[in-house]
Amino acid sequence: MHQIASDTLRQMPRGVWALGFVSLLMDVSSEMIHSLLPLFMVTVLGASALMVGVIEGIAESTALIVKVFSGVLSDYAAACRNGLVWARLVQAQKQVTCEASRPSARP
């Protein structure tokens, strides 16, 4: 049993390994940003708890709606790879935008 699993892992193309590793790093960085975003909004931007709740609610609603429609679109589209590439590009752009919006440290 162990030999079969080992052979299967060796047969996977490098692209699959690379995509899996990139996906892991993107997910970890997104989770780090999501956990610190409410704290940033309250302490640096001066948002109230109500405003943070409204923004989080809108973000979660948007994410759920997009998941439903993207699932339907991927069922009809033959090019799921293009959707994956598009999703990773959008996620990378979001992280660049978040990084650019940080206040710069001035001496």
Side-chain angles (χ1 to χ4, degrees):
M1 178 81 173
H2 179 66
Q3 183 65 28
I4 294 171
S6 178
D7 290 341
T8 303
L9 291 176
R10 285 190 196 123
Q11 290 175 354
M12 279 199 281
R14 285 185 176 179
V16 172
W17 284 104
L19 185 61
F21 188 67
V22 167
S23 180
L24 172 72
L25 293 178
M26 294 287 280
D27 290 344
V28 167
S29 65
S30 289
E31 289 301 320
M32 288 177 8
I33 288 173
H34 283 118
S35 64
L36 295 174
L37 189 59
L39 181 66
F40 172 77
M41 289 171 34
V42 170
T43 57
V44 176
L45 300 178
S48 67
L50 177 65
M51 184 56 73
V52 171
V54 168
I55 292 171
E56 289 287 330
I58 291 171
E60 288 296 321
S61 301
T62 304
L64 291 174
I65 290 170
V66 168
K67 283 181 185 179
V68 168
F69 288 117
S70 65
V72 171
L73 286 175
S74 71
D75 288 343
Y76 289 112
C80 290
R81 180 177 176 264
N82 291 338
L84 179 65
V85 170
W86 177 253
R88 289 300 175 196
L89 287 174
V90 169
Q91 188 175 20
Q93 177 61 37
K94 177 193 76 160
Q95 289 178 337
V96 168
T97 304
C98 287
E99 184 67 28
S101 68
R102 278 186 7 177
S104 61
R106 297 186 185 213

